[in-house]
Amino acid sequence: MNELVTGDAVVLGLRPARLPSRALAIAIDLAVLMTVFVVLSLGLAVASVTLDEAATAAITVATFLLVLVGGPVAVETLSHGRSLGKLACGLRVVRDDGGPIRFRHALVRGAMGAVEILGTFGVVGSIASLVSARGRRLGDVFAGTLVVRERVPAGRAAAAPPPPPWLLGRFAQLDLSGVPDGLWLAIRQYLTRMNQLDTVVRGAMAERLSTDLAARTGVPAPQGVPSAAYLAAVVHERQVRDVRRVAAAAGHGSPAPAPRPVPARQEFIGERTVNDRPAEVRQGAPDRPSATAPGGDGAEVRAATGFAPPA
């Protein structure tokens, strides 16, 4: 079976990687790791030239474990299953349920990889990958992981169905920061594949996912709203927020400038106001009297505003 199926009979749009692509990714990773190992070994050999043979051997073993075993573990943990070779070949390591891996998964894979890849020059890993129906080596079996292809042909990924119109914007104030990526993935895969499930299984999964989502958000699901519609509306709200966030980061979502405040006092003279006077006049003494006021000086008004006072 080419596609990944969870224990709840949900078909995930993930395709297991086969031996050729995995071998190429491992070769790229090993080339990088061996280069780093040789450079560090030469540097340490020069630095420890005055040490005895036992200390030199201990440093060599520690460097080997740190680079060739700890390096892949650290890279896969920090990149969530994408090393340099896997990134170049379009592969990724995920859990059996399709979620991102964690440190314990990367640690088991790295420890077993030192035995079945480095210790046997890849023979054991190749045989295990050929025998496995999903191309898994022993490290994947013990860690509960799977290497899948991220680059799939366009048009094969199904989009999540839109929510009912009467639910649009209803969850705009919902806090989605506590929802993990694994739950989002499970909800999305359920929405895209729910029409392929039995009615009973589909309803039970929708209830379970909506309960988990409500527990993560801290707000119970609305009464009278079907679970599938509730999940679709929340996923739609998250997509809307993601679009707004990307637009804001690109500079298209910046808020409009605030309107210019209207002065509390304006003295109209002809078609202009006192606030339209030149800057050198506004920075001086208080507003001069208008031309129509008693004692007003027409020359001053003409100099300040550019308009002649009425006769």
Side-chain angles (χ1 to χ4, degrees), residues 26 29-30 33 64-84 86 93 101-103 105-107 109-111 113-114 117-118 137:
I26 291 176
D29 290 336
L30 286 179
L33 292 175
F64 175 85
L65 294 177
L66 178 64
V67 175
L68 297 181
V69 179
V73 173
V75 170
E76 288 190 355
T77 301
L78 297 176
S79 63
H80 298 290
R82 289 191 300 178
S83 61
L84 182 61
K86 292 181 178 61
V93 183
I101 65 172
R102 298 182 180 179
F103 172 74
H105 303 98
L107 180 61
R109 281 176 48 82
I117 296 179
L118 298 179
R137 62 179 177 87

PDB file of all heavy atoms in Angstrom, residues 26 29-30 33 64-84 86 93 101-103 105-107 109-111 113-114 117-118 137:
ATOM      1  N   ILE A  26      21.258   9.298   2.423  1.00  0.00           N
ATOM      2  CA  ILE A  26      22.249   8.857   3.414  1.00  0.00           C
ATOM      3  C   ILE A  26      23.665   9.104   2.910  1.00  0.00           C
ATOM      4  O   ILE A  26      24.557   9.495   3.678  1.00  0.00           O
ATOM      5  CB  ILE A  26      22.027   7.363   3.742  1.00  0.00           C
ATOM      6  CG1 ILE A  26      20.711   7.182   4.508  1.00  0.00           C
ATOM      7  CG2 ILE A  26      23.183   6.821   4.570  1.00  0.00           C
ATOM      8  CD1 ILE A  26      20.360   5.739   4.787  1.00  0.00           C
ATOM      9  N   ASP A  29      24.428  12.744   3.468  1.00  0.00           N
ATOM     10  CA  ASP A  29      24.652  13.005   4.892  1.00  0.00           C
ATOM     11  C   ASP A  29      26.002  12.465   5.343  1.00  0.00           C
ATOM     12  O   ASP A  29      26.732  13.131   6.106  1.00  0.00           O
ATOM     13  CB  ASP A  29      23.526  12.376   5.720  1.00  0.00           C
ATOM     14  CG  ASP A  29      22.203  13.090   5.522  1.00  0.00           C
ATOM     15  OD1 ASP A  29      22.230  14.278   5.149  1.00  0.00           O
ATOM     16  OD2 ASP A  29      21.147  12.460   5.733  1.00  0.00           O
ATOM     17  N   LEU A  30      26.366  11.250   4.904  1.00  0.00           N
ATOM     18  CA  LEU A  30      27.641  10.660   5.313  1.00  0.00           C
ATOM     19  C   LEU A  30      28.817  11.448   4.752  1.00  0.00           C
ATOM     20  O   LEU A  30      29.857  11.590   5.419  1.00  0.00           O
ATOM     21  CB  LEU A  30      27.719   9.206   4.861  1.00  0.00           C
ATOM     22  CG  LEU A  30      26.862   8.209   5.657  1.00  0.00           C
ATOM     23  CD1 LEU A  30      27.020   6.804   5.080  1.00  0.00           C
ATOM     24  CD2 LEU A  30      27.248   8.221   7.132  1.00  0.00           C
ATOM     25  N   LEU A  33      29.128  14.453   7.014  1.00  0.00           N
ATOM     26  CA  LEU A  33      29.608  14.072   8.345  1.00  0.00           C
ATOM     27  C   LEU A  33      31.068  13.640   8.315  1.00  0.00           C
ATOM     28  O   LEU A  33      31.838  13.978   9.229  1.00  0.00           O
ATOM     29  CB  LEU A  33      28.727  12.946   8.903  1.00  0.00           C
ATOM     30  CG  LEU A  33      27.285  13.320   9.243  1.00  0.00           C
ATOM     31  CD1 LEU A  33      26.492  12.086   9.676  1.00  0.00           C
ATOM     32  CD2 LEU A  33      27.246  14.367  10.351  1.00  0.00           C
ATOM     33  N   PHE A  64      34.280  10.681  17.170  1.00  0.00           N
ATOM     34  CA  PHE A  64      33.481   9.809  16.299  1.00  0.00           C
ATOM     35  C   PHE A  64      32.033   9.749  16.770  1.00  0.00           C
ATOM     36  O   PHE A  64      31.096   9.899  15.965  1.00  0.00           O
ATOM     37  CB  PHE A  64      34.101   8.409  16.298  1.00  0.00           C
ATOM     38  CG  PHE A  64      33.298   7.399  15.521  1.00  0.00           C
ATOM     39  CD1 PHE A  64      33.463   7.281  14.153  1.00  0.00           C
ATOM     40  CD2 PHE A  64      32.387   6.584  16.165  1.00  0.00           C
ATOM     41  CE1 PHE A  64      32.716   6.354  13.428  1.00  0.00           C
ATOM     42  CE2 PHE A  64      31.638   5.658  15.449  1.00  0.00           C
ATOM     43  CZ  PHE A  64      31.800   5.538  14.077  1.00  0.00           C
ATOM     44  N   LEU A  65      31.822   9.551  18.056  1.00  0.00           N
ATOM     45  CA  LEU A  65      30.455   9.469  18.575  1.00  0.00           C
ATOM     46  C   LEU A  65      29.742  10.812  18.483  1.00  0.00           C
ATOM     47  O   LEU A  65      28.542  10.870  18.188  1.00  0.00           O
ATOM     48  CB  LEU A  65      30.483   8.989  20.033  1.00  0.00           C
ATOM     49  CG  LEU A  65      30.982   7.557  20.265  1.00  0.00           C
ATOM     50  CD1 LEU A  65      31.025   7.250  21.755  1.00  0.00           C
ATOM     51  CD2 LEU A  65      30.090   6.552  19.544  1.00  0.00           C
ATOM     52  N   LEU A  66      30.482  11.882  18.732  1.00  0.00           N
ATOM     53  CA  LEU A  66      29.866  13.202  18.708  1.00  0.00           C
ATOM     54  C   LEU A  66      29.420  13.594  17.302  1.00  0.00           C
ATOM     55  O   LEU A  66      28.316  14.133  17.112  1.00  0.00           O
ATOM     56  CB  LEU A  66      30.837  14.238  19.260  1.00  0.00           C
ATOM     57  CG  LEU A  66      30.356  15.698  19.273  1.00  0.00           C
ATOM     58  CD1 LEU A  66      29.154  15.843  20.198  1.00  0.00           C
ATOM     59  CD2 LEU A  66      31.468  16.634  19.699  1.00  0.00           C
ATOM     60  N   VAL A  67      30.253  13.306  16.304  1.00  0.00           N
ATOM     61  CA  VAL A  67      29.961  13.757  14.943  1.00  0.00           C
ATOM     62  C   VAL A  67      29.071  12.769  14.204  1.00  0.00           C
ATOM     63  O   VAL A  67      28.014  13.130  13.673  1.00  0.00           O
ATOM     64  CB  VAL A  67      31.273  13.994  14.169  1.00  0.00           C
ATOM     65  CG1 VAL A  67      30.978  14.353  12.708  1.00  0.00           C
ATOM     66  CG2 VAL A  67      32.083  15.095  14.827  1.00  0.00           C
ATOM     67  N   LEU A  68      29.452  11.502  14.170  1.00  0.00           N
ATOM     68  CA  LEU A  68      28.755  10.530  13.330  1.00  0.00           C
ATOM     69  C   LEU A  68      27.509   9.956  13.987  1.00  0.00           C
ATOM     70  O   LEU A  68      26.678   9.369  13.280  1.00  0.00           O
ATOM     71  CB  LEU A  68      29.714   9.390  12.952  1.00  0.00           C
ATOM     72  CG  LEU A  68      30.925   9.822  12.107  1.00  0.00           C
ATOM     73  CD1 LEU A  68      31.792   8.622  11.772  1.00  0.00           C
ATOM     74  CD2 LEU A  68      30.477  10.509  10.836  1.00  0.00           C
ATOM     75  N   VAL A  69      27.370  10.080  15.290  1.00  0.00           N
ATOM     76  CA  VAL A  69      26.156   9.597  15.966  1.00  0.00           C
ATOM     77  C   VAL A  69      25.341  10.764  16.502  1.00  0.00           C
ATOM     78  O   VAL A  69      24.138  10.864  16.253  1.00  0.00           O
ATOM     79  CB  VAL A  69      26.518   8.615  17.102  1.00  0.00           C
ATOM     80  CG1 VAL A  69      25.251   8.135  17.813  1.00  0.00           C
ATOM     81  CG2 VAL A  69      27.278   7.420  16.545  1.00  0.00           C
ATOM     82  N   GLY A  70      25.996  11.660  17.229  1.00  0.00           N
ATOM     83  CA  GLY A  70      25.258  12.795  17.779  1.00  0.00           C
ATOM     84  C   GLY A  70      24.857  13.818  16.750  1.00  0.00           C
ATOM     85  O   GLY A  70      23.836  14.496  16.905  1.00  0.00           O
ATOM     86  N   GLY A  71      25.643  13.939  15.673  1.00  0.00           N
ATOM     87  CA  GLY A  71      25.303  14.905  14.630  1.00  0.00           C
ATOM     88  C   GLY A  71      23.960  14.637  13.975  1.00  0.00           C
ATOM     89  O   GLY A  71      23.088  15.517  13.925  1.00  0.00           O
ATOM     90  N   PRO A  72      23.713  13.421  13.447  1.00  0.00           N
ATOM     91  CA  PRO A  72      22.397  13.142  12.865  1.00  0.00           C
ATOM     92  C   PRO A  72      21.248  13.277  13.850  1.00  0.00           C
ATOM     93  O   PRO A  72      20.156  13.732  13.477  1.00  0.00           O
ATOM     94  CB  PRO A  72      22.539  11.696  12.373  1.00  0.00           C
ATOM     95  CG  PRO A  72      24.007  11.511  12.155  1.00  0.00           C
ATOM     96  CD  PRO A  72      24.662  12.318  13.219  1.00  0.00           C
ATOM     97  N   VAL A  73      21.485  12.901  15.114  1.00  0.00           N
ATOM     98  CA  VAL A  73      20.424  13.030  16.120  1.00  0.00           C
ATOM     99  C   VAL A  73      20.060  14.501  16.324  1.00  0.00           C
ATOM    100  O   VAL A  73      18.877  14.873  16.348  1.00  0.00           O
ATOM    101  CB  VAL A  73      20.867  12.382  17.447  1.00  0.00           C
ATOM    102  CG1 VAL A  73      19.844  12.652  18.545  1.00  0.00           C
ATOM    103  CG2 VAL A  73      21.052  10.884  17.266  1.00  0.00           C
ATOM    104  N   ALA A  74      21.073  15.354  16.464  1.00  0.00           N
ATOM    105  CA  ALA A  74      20.806  16.782  16.673  1.00  0.00           C
ATOM    106  C   ALA A  74      20.147  17.409  15.459  1.00  0.00           C
ATOM    107  O   ALA A  74      19.196  18.198  15.581  1.00  0.00           O
ATOM    108  CB  ALA A  74      22.112  17.507  17.011  1.00  0.00           C
ATOM    109  N   VAL A  75      20.609  17.059  14.258  1.00  0.00           N
ATOM    110  CA  VAL A  75      20.054  17.659  13.042  1.00  0.00           C
ATOM    111  C   VAL A  75      18.603  17.248  12.849  1.00  0.00           C
ATOM    112  O   VAL A  75      17.731  18.085  12.557  1.00  0.00           O
ATOM    113  CB  VAL A  75      20.908  17.276  11.822  1.00  0.00           C
ATOM    114  CG1 VAL A  75      20.219  17.691  10.533  1.00  0.00           C
ATOM    115  CG2 VAL A  75      22.278  17.926  11.910  1.00  0.00           C
ATOM    116  N   GLU A  76      18.287  15.964  13.008  1.00  0.00           N
ATOM    117  CA  GLU A  76      16.914  15.509  12.812  1.00  0.00           C
ATOM    118  C   GLU A  76      15.985  16.050  13.892  1.00  0.00           C
ATOM    119  O   GLU A  76      14.805  16.302  13.631  1.00  0.00           O
ATOM    120  CB  GLU A  76      16.859  13.985  12.790  1.00  0.00           C
ATOM    121  CG  GLU A  76      17.456  13.375  11.534  1.00  0.00           C
ATOM    122  CD  GLU A  76      17.182  11.890  11.433  1.00  0.00           C
ATOM    123  OE1 GLU A  76      16.610  11.327  12.394  1.00  0.00           O
ATOM    124  OE2 GLU A  76      17.531  11.281  10.401  1.00  0.00           O
ATOM    125  N   THR A  77      16.501  16.258  15.099  1.00  0.00           N
ATOM    126  CA  THR A  77      15.654  16.813  16.161  1.00  0.00           C
ATOM    127  C   THR A  77      15.339  18.275  15.893  1.00  0.00           C
ATOM    128  O   THR A  77      14.189  18.704  16.006  1.00  0.00           O
ATOM    129  CB  THR A  77      16.344  16.666  17.520  1.00  0.00           C
ATOM    130  OG1 THR A  77      16.612  15.278  17.772  1.00  0.00           O
ATOM    131  CG2 THR A  77      15.462  17.207  18.636  1.00  0.00           C
ATOM    132  N   LEU A  78      16.346  19.049  15.543  1.00  0.00           N
ATOM    133  CA  LEU A  78      16.142  20.480  15.327  1.00  0.00           C
ATOM    134  C   LEU A  78      15.367  20.773  14.043  1.00  0.00           C
ATOM    135  O   LEU A  78      14.619  21.748  13.979  1.00  0.00           O
ATOM    136  CB  LEU A  78      17.488  21.203  15.297  1.00  0.00           C
ATOM    137  CG  LEU A  78      18.298  21.147  16.603  1.00  0.00           C
ATOM    138  CD1 LEU A  78      19.662  21.816  16.416  1.00  0.00           C
ATOM    139  CD2 LEU A  78      17.538  21.787  17.744  1.00  0.00           C
ATOM    140  N   SER A  79      15.557  19.947  13.021  1.00  0.00           N
ATOM    141  CA  SER A  79      14.881  20.179  11.740  1.00  0.00           C
ATOM    142  C   SER A  79      13.591  19.385  11.602  1.00  0.00           C
ATOM    143  O   SER A  79      12.978  19.412  10.530  1.00  0.00           O
ATOM    144  CB  SER A  79      15.823  19.817  10.585  1.00  0.00           C
ATOM    145  OG  SER A  79      16.139  18.438  10.614  1.00  0.00           O
ATOM    146  N   HIS A  80      13.184  18.674  12.659  1.00  0.00           N
ATOM    147  CA  HIS A  80      11.959  17.863  12.637  1.00  0.00           C
ATOM    148  C   HIS A  80      11.996  16.828  11.508  1.00  0.00           C
ATOM    149  O   HIS A  80      11.027  16.643  10.774  1.00  0.00           O
ATOM    150  CB  HIS A  80      10.722  18.752  12.492  1.00  0.00           C
ATOM    151  CG  HIS A  80      10.537  19.707  13.626  1.00  0.00           C
ATOM    152  ND1 HIS A  80      10.181  19.319  14.906  1.00  0.00           N
ATOM    153  CD2 HIS A  80      10.693  21.056  13.679  1.00  0.00           C
ATOM    154  CE1 HIS A  80      10.102  20.369  15.684  1.00  0.00           C
ATOM    155  NE2 HIS A  80      10.416  21.437  14.968  1.00  0.00           N
ATOM    156  N   GLY A  81      13.135  16.143  11.400  1.00  0.00           N
ATOM    157  CA  GLY A  81      13.216  15.007  10.486  1.00  0.00           C
ATOM    158  C   GLY A  81      13.783  15.301   9.122  1.00  0.00           C
ATOM    159  O   GLY A  81      13.667  14.449   8.231  1.00  0.00           O
ATOM    160  N   ARG A  82      14.406  16.447   8.925  1.00  0.00           N
ATOM    161  CA  ARG A  82      14.959  16.766   7.610  1.00  0.00           C
ATOM    162  C   ARG A  82      16.446  17.080   7.728  1.00  0.00           C
ATOM    163  O   ARG A  82      16.819  18.173   8.132  1.00  0.00           O
ATOM    164  CB  ARG A  82      14.221  17.944   6.977  1.00  0.00           C
ATOM    165  CG  ARG A  82      12.820  17.617   6.522  1.00  0.00           C
ATOM    166  CD  ARG A  82      12.253  18.730   5.675  1.00  0.00           C
ATOM    167  NE  ARG A  82      12.198  19.987   6.401  1.00  0.00           N
ATOM    168  CZ  ARG A  82      11.769  21.134   5.868  1.00  0.00           C
ATOM    169  NH1 ARG A  82      11.407  21.163   4.612  1.00  0.00           N
ATOM    170  NH2 ARG A  82      11.728  22.224   6.595  1.00  0.00           N
ATOM    171  N   SER A  83      17.282  16.133   7.390  1.00  0.00           N
ATOM    172  CA  SER A  83      18.712  16.383   7.335  1.00  0.00           C
ATOM    173  C   SER A  83      19.062  17.007   5.981  1.00  0.00           C
ATOM    174  O   SER A  83      18.185  17.231   5.137  1.00  0.00           O
ATOM    175  CB  SER A  83      19.477  15.069   7.540  1.00  0.00           C
ATOM    176  OG  SER A  83      19.151  14.155   6.503  1.00  0.00           O
ATOM    177  N   LEU A  84      20.337  17.278   5.759  1.00  0.00           N
ATOM    178  CA  LEU A  84      20.741  17.903   4.502  1.00  0.00           C
ATOM    179  C   LEU A  84      20.463  16.979   3.319  1.00  0.00           C
ATOM    180  O   LEU A  84      19.970  17.411   2.271  1.00  0.00           O
ATOM    181  CB  LEU A  84      22.232  18.264   4.561  1.00  0.00           C
ATOM    182  CG  LEU A  84      22.797  18.983   3.331  1.00  0.00           C
ATOM    183  CD1 LEU A  84      22.079  20.301   3.109  1.00  0.00           C
ATOM    184  CD2 LEU A  84      24.296  19.198   3.490  1.00  0.00           C
ATOM    185  N   LYS A  86      18.243  14.477   3.176  1.00  0.00           N
ATOM    186  CA  LYS A  86      16.792  14.326   2.990  1.00  0.00           C
ATOM    187  C   LYS A  86      16.183  15.586   2.390  1.00  0.00           C
ATOM    188  O   LYS A  86      15.238  15.510   1.602  1.00  0.00           O
ATOM    189  CB  LYS A  86      16.136  13.991   4.326  1.00  0.00           C
ATOM    190  CG  LYS A  86      16.498  12.615   4.875  1.00  0.00           C
ATOM    191  CD  LYS A  86      15.797  12.344   6.185  1.00  0.00           C
ATOM    192  CE  LYS A  86      16.143  10.951   6.692  1.00  0.00           C
ATOM    193  NZ  LYS A  86      17.578  10.780   6.956  1.00  0.00           N
ATOM    194  N   VAL A  93      11.506  12.538   7.840  1.00  0.00           N
ATOM    195  CA  VAL A  93      11.209  11.493   8.819  1.00  0.00           C
ATOM    196  C   VAL A  93      10.010  11.935   9.651  1.00  0.00           C
ATOM    197  O   VAL A  93      10.020  13.032  10.216  1.00  0.00           O
ATOM    198  CB  VAL A  93      12.420  11.215   9.731  1.00  0.00           C
ATOM    199  CG1 VAL A  93      12.114  10.067  10.692  1.00  0.00           C
ATOM    200  CG2 VAL A  93      13.644  10.875   8.909  1.00  0.00           C
ATOM    201  N   ILE A 101       8.689  14.109  14.370  1.00  0.00           N
ATOM    202  CA  ILE A 101       9.452  13.327  15.329  1.00  0.00           C
ATOM    203  C   ILE A 101      10.003  14.225  16.420  1.00  0.00           C
ATOM    204  O   ILE A 101      10.072  15.451  16.270  1.00  0.00           O
ATOM    205  CB  ILE A 101      10.604  12.562  14.638  1.00  0.00           C
ATOM    206  CG1 ILE A 101      11.627  13.546  14.058  1.00  0.00           C
ATOM    207  CG2 ILE A 101      10.067  11.649  13.559  1.00  0.00           C
ATOM    208  CD1 ILE A 101      12.881  12.877  13.546  1.00  0.00           C
ATOM    209  N   ARG A 102      10.418  13.591  17.511  1.00  0.00           N
ATOM    210  CA  ARG A 102      11.023  14.303  18.642  1.00  0.00           C
ATOM    211  C   ARG A 102      12.409  13.723  18.914  1.00  0.00           C
ATOM    212  O   ARG A 102      12.897  12.887  18.160  1.00  0.00           O
ATOM    213  CB  ARG A 102      10.122  14.209  19.866  1.00  0.00           C
ATOM    214  CG  ARG A 102       8.754  14.850  19.639  1.00  0.00           C
ATOM    215  CD  ARG A 102       7.908  14.790  20.883  1.00  0.00           C
ATOM    216  NE  ARG A 102       6.598  15.410  20.673  1.00  0.00           N
ATOM    217  CZ  ARG A 102       5.647  15.481  21.597  1.00  0.00           C
ATOM    218  NH1 ARG A 102       5.851  14.964  22.807  1.00  0.00           N
ATOM    219  NH2 ARG A 102       4.490  16.061  21.311  1.00  0.00           N
ATOM    220  N   PHE A 103      12.985  14.164  20.035  1.00  0.00           N
ATOM    221  CA  PHE A 103      14.363  13.768  20.332  1.00  0.00           C
ATOM    222  C   PHE A 103      14.499  12.263  20.522  1.00  0.00           C
ATOM    223  O   PHE A 103      15.465  11.654  20.049  1.00  0.00           O
ATOM    224  CB  PHE A 103      14.842  14.508  21.584  1.00  0.00           C
ATOM    225  CG  PHE A 103      16.182  14.025  22.089  1.00  0.00           C
ATOM    226  CD1 PHE A 103      17.346  14.353  21.415  1.00  0.00           C
ATOM    227  CD2 PHE A 103      16.266  13.231  23.225  1.00  0.00           C
ATOM    228  CE1 PHE A 103      18.581  13.907  21.871  1.00  0.00           C
ATOM    229  CE2 PHE A 103      17.498  12.782  23.684  1.00  0.00           C
ATOM    230  CZ  PHE A 103      18.650  13.126  23.004  1.00  0.00           C
ATOM    231  N   HIS A 105      12.823   9.858  19.190  1.00  0.00           N
ATOM    232  CA  HIS A 105      12.794   9.152  17.912  1.00  0.00           C
ATOM    233  C   HIS A 105      14.128   9.299  17.182  1.00  0.00           C
ATOM    234  O   HIS A 105      14.664   8.311  16.646  1.00  0.00           O
ATOM    235  CB  HIS A 105      11.674   9.712  17.029  1.00  0.00           C
ATOM    236  CG  HIS A 105      10.315   9.655  17.656  1.00  0.00           C
ATOM    237  ND1 HIS A 105       9.742  10.734  18.282  1.00  0.00           N
ATOM    238  CD2 HIS A 105       9.416   8.648  17.757  1.00  0.00           C
ATOM    239  CE1 HIS A 105       8.551  10.404  18.733  1.00  0.00           C
ATOM    240  NE2 HIS A 105       8.321   9.149  18.436  1.00  0.00           N
ATOM    241  N   ALA A 106      14.672  10.519  17.174  1.00  0.00           N
ATOM    242  CA  ALA A 106      15.952  10.743  16.512  1.00  0.00           C
ATOM    243  C   ALA A 106      17.084   9.999  17.225  1.00  0.00           C
ATOM    244  O   ALA A 106      18.013   9.512  16.569  1.00  0.00           O
ATOM    245  CB  ALA A 106      16.260  12.241  16.452  1.00  0.00           C
ATOM    246  N   LEU A 107      17.002   9.889  18.551  1.00  0.00           N
ATOM    247  CA  LEU A 107      18.050   9.181  19.295  1.00  0.00           C
ATOM    248  C   LEU A 107      18.061   7.699  18.958  1.00  0.00           C
ATOM    249  O   LEU A 107      19.129   7.104  18.734  1.00  0.00           O
ATOM    250  CB  LEU A 107      17.835   9.388  20.799  1.00  0.00           C
ATOM    251  CG  LEU A 107      18.852   8.710  21.723  1.00  0.00           C
ATOM    252  CD1 LEU A 107      20.248   9.250  21.453  1.00  0.00           C
ATOM    253  CD2 LEU A 107      18.472   8.926  23.189  1.00  0.00           C
ATOM    254  N   ARG A 109      16.885   6.290  16.230  1.00  0.00           N
ATOM    255  CA  ARG A 109      17.320   6.152  14.836  1.00  0.00           C
ATOM    256  C   ARG A 109      18.833   6.323  14.706  1.00  0.00           C
ATOM    257  O   ARG A 109      19.489   5.584  13.971  1.00  0.00           O
ATOM    258  CB  ARG A 109      16.605   7.191  13.970  1.00  0.00           C
ATOM    259  CG  ARG A 109      15.190   6.834  13.601  1.00  0.00           C
ATOM    260  CD  ARG A 109      14.543   7.975  12.828  1.00  0.00           C
ATOM    261  NE  ARG A 109      15.393   8.458  11.755  1.00  0.00           N
ATOM    262  CZ  ARG A 109      15.494   7.886  10.558  1.00  0.00           C
ATOM    263  NH1 ARG A 109      14.773   6.820  10.276  1.00  0.00           N
ATOM    264  NH2 ARG A 109      16.304   8.396   9.637  1.00  0.00           N
ATOM    265  N   GLY A 110      19.393   7.296  15.434  1.00  0.00           N
ATOM    266  CA  GLY A 110      20.832   7.516  15.354  1.00  0.00           C
ATOM    267  C   GLY A 110      21.634   6.371  15.950  1.00  0.00           C
ATOM    268  O   GLY A 110      22.662   5.968  15.398  1.00  0.00           O
ATOM    269  N   ALA A 111      21.162   5.826  17.084  1.00  0.00           N
ATOM    270  CA  ALA A 111      21.876   4.711  17.719  1.00  0.00           C
ATOM    271  C   ALA A 111      21.830   3.461  16.842  1.00  0.00           C
ATOM    272  O   ALA A 111      22.841   2.772  16.670  1.00  0.00           O
ATOM    273  CB  ALA A 111      21.265   4.422  19.093  1.00  0.00           C
ATOM    274  N   GLY A 113      21.337   3.480  13.609  1.00  0.00           N
ATOM    275  CA  GLY A 113      22.049   3.776  12.372  1.00  0.00           C
ATOM    276  C   GLY A 113      23.542   3.543  12.488  1.00  0.00           C
ATOM    277  O   GLY A 113      24.197   3.161  11.507  1.00  0.00           O
ATOM    278  N   ALA A 114      24.092   3.758  13.691  1.00  0.00           N
ATOM    279  CA  ALA A 114      25.516   3.495  13.887  1.00  0.00           C
ATOM    280  C   ALA A 114      25.844   2.020  13.726  1.00  0.00           C
ATOM    281  O   ALA A 114      26.962   1.657  13.347  1.00  0.00           O
ATOM    282  CB  ALA A 114      25.945   3.978  15.270  1.00  0.00           C
ATOM    283  N   ILE A 117      24.147   0.926   9.637  1.00  0.00           N
ATOM    284  CA  ILE A 117      24.687   1.665   8.486  1.00  0.00           C
ATOM    285  C   ILE A 117      26.196   1.784   8.580  1.00  0.00           C
ATOM    286  O   ILE A 117      26.925   1.387   7.659  1.00  0.00           O
ATOM    287  CB  ILE A 117      24.033   3.055   8.398  1.00  0.00           C
ATOM    288  CG1 ILE A 117      22.531   2.925   8.121  1.00  0.00           C
ATOM    289  CG2 ILE A 117      24.693   3.874   7.290  1.00  0.00           C
ATOM    290  CD1 ILE A 117      21.806   4.245   8.050  1.00  0.00           C
ATOM    291  N   LEU A 118      26.706   2.315   9.699  1.00  0.00           N
ATOM    292  CA  LEU A 118      28.153   2.482   9.833  1.00  0.00           C
ATOM    293  C   LEU A 118      28.843   1.163  10.134  1.00  0.00           C
ATOM    294  O   LEU A 118      29.903   0.874   9.574  1.00  0.00           O
ATOM    295  CB  LEU A 118      28.448   3.506  10.934  1.00  0.00           C
ATOM    296  CG  LEU A 118      27.910   4.916  10.701  1.00  0.00           C
ATOM    297  CD1 LEU A 118      28.247   5.807  11.888  1.00  0.00           C
ATOM    298  CD2 LEU A 118      28.469   5.511   9.412  1.00  0.00           C
ATOM    299  N   ARG A 137      13.977   0.823   7.725  1.00  0.00           N
ATOM    300  CA  ARG A 137      15.113   0.094   8.271  1.00  0.00           C
ATOM    301  C   ARG A 137      14.861  -0.210   9.740  1.00  0.00           C
ATOM    302  O   ARG A 137      13.825   0.174  10.302  1.00  0.00           O
ATOM    303  CB  ARG A 137      16.403   0.885   8.067  1.00  0.00           C
ATOM    304  CG  ARG A 137      16.465   2.236   8.770  1.00  0.00           C
ATOM    305  CD  ARG A 137      17.809   2.892   8.508  1.00  0.00           C
ATOM    306  NE  ARG A 137      17.932   4.210   9.093  1.00  0.00           N
ATOM    307  CZ  ARG A 137      18.340   4.446  10.349  1.00  0.00           C
ATOM    308  NH1 ARG A 137      18.654   3.442  11.142  1.00  0.00           N
ATOM    309  NH2 ARG A 137      18.434   5.694  10.798  1.00  0.00           N
TER     310      ARG A 137
END
